Amino acid sequence: MRNYKEVTRERIIDEAAALFFEKGYKNTSLETVAKQLEITRPAIYHYFKNKEEIITAIIREVLKKVTAYSEKVLNQNIKPSEKFEQMVIQHLLLILKNKIFVGIFFEEQKSLPEQATKETIKLIDEYYKTCTDLYKEAMEGGCFIQTDPSIAVQTILGACSWSYKWYSQAGSMAAEEMAKTMSVILMRGYRV
């Protein structure tokens, strides 16, 4: 057994995330996480009060990354259509490069404590509103087809979001190439 000082908060989160992704949040005990880390369960309590704190940390990490790339894209001096396309690419890159954390984000939100659920829903709603506003601006500027912006955004981001289920970094395309390929298909269609 290792001393709790030999294991970082980040390592506990990473190991727990891998187990939550593989076995499911409800089917993974703190005892299982401790065994994987070769520490005692009480050693985890040095960093986290319970399993809910760990899953909340995972979800917050995803939200932190979404906020960071959103702010970066929105602060660029480019057209709304280009901002929207950049948001789609960044959305895809987040998913493709963080499959485990994003998979937990999508699959295990129901397991979050009530306050974390409220925070998550609020940030998701703000994110979708920002993307919808960008799409609407680009549509009104003649760059995108005339359609309900909300449905367009839900369709595009929804298609992106499922990529964590099937994408493999060991596959034939790196995440960056896959994100570009998918964004072209989603933003420009598949017809010649």
Side-chain angles (χ1 to χ4, degrees):
M1 286 285 154
R2 293 182 178 150
N3 182 310
Y4 79 89
K5 292 179 182 176
E6 296 175 46
V7 178
T8 64
R9 181 179 192 279
E10 290 74 24
R11 179 115 188 274
I12 293 170
I13 291 171
D14 288 342
E15 291 294 337
L19 290 166
F20 295 166
F21 188 76
E22 178 187 341
K23 301 173 185 268
Y25 174 77
K26 291 188 183 209
N27 296 326
T28 304
S29 67
L30 283 181
E31 189 66 41
T32 306
V33 175
K35 186 176 178 183
Q36 183 72 23
L37 290 163
E38 298 177 348
I39 60 174
T40 62
R41 193 170 99 192
I44 293 174
Y45 296 133
H46 179 74
Y47 298 99
F48 299 97
K49 290 180 191 171
N50 52 41
K51 197 167 73 163
E52 285 181 344
E53 281 193 1
I54 298 173
I55 196 166
T56 300
I58 293 166
I59 300 298
R60 285 189 174 141
E61 183 63 26
V62 172
L63 293 171
K64 185 172 110 181
K65 288 179 179 185
V66 169
T67 300
Y69 79 67
S70 296
E71 288 174 358
K72 185 177 178 185
V73 169
L74 294 172
N75 287 325
Q76 292 181 40
N77 190 20
I78 55 177
K79 296 181 211 172
S81 61
E82 293 169 331
K83 285 183 183 182
F84 183 80
E85 289 182 5
Q86 283 300 309
M87 290 289 275
V88 171
I89 290 170
Q90 293 304 313
H91 185 81
L92 277 163
L93 285 172
L94 171 75
I95 293 164
L96 300 174
K97 290 183 171 184
N98 300 279
K99 179 178 180 166
I100 291 175
F101 276 42
V102 170
I104 292 166
F105 180 85
F106 288 128
E107 300 289 334
E108 300 291 352
Q109 282 185 39
K110 62 191 174 290
S111 302
L112 287 174
E114 186 178 343
Q115 185 57 38
T117 299
K118 287 178 184 177
E119 291 171 21
T120 301
I121 290 170
K122 181 178 181 250
L123 285 169
I124 291 170
D125 289 347
E126 289 171 6
Y127 178 73
Y128 272 86
K129 182 182 181 330
T130 298
C131 290
T132 301
D133 290 347
L134 285 174
Y135 187 96
K136 185 177 179 183
E137 281 183 66
M139 182 182 73
E140 290 169 351
C143 296
F144 293 166
I145 62 168
Q146 293 288 321
T147 191
D148 182 313
S150 178
I151 292 173
V153 169
Q154 292 285 350
T155 300
I156 292 166
L157 295 183
C160 295
S161 295
W162 277 99
S163 61
Y164 83 91
K165 290 273 196 186
W166 55 264
Y167 175 73
S168 170
Q169 290 184 340
S172 62
M173 281 191 196
E176 291 79 4
E177 186 180 358
M178 180 63 74
K180 286 179 185 172
T181 300
M182 288 181 67
S183 69
V184 167
I185 293 167
L186 291 167
M187 296 302 298
R188 294 183 180 86
Y190 51 86
R191 291 191 176 186
V192 183

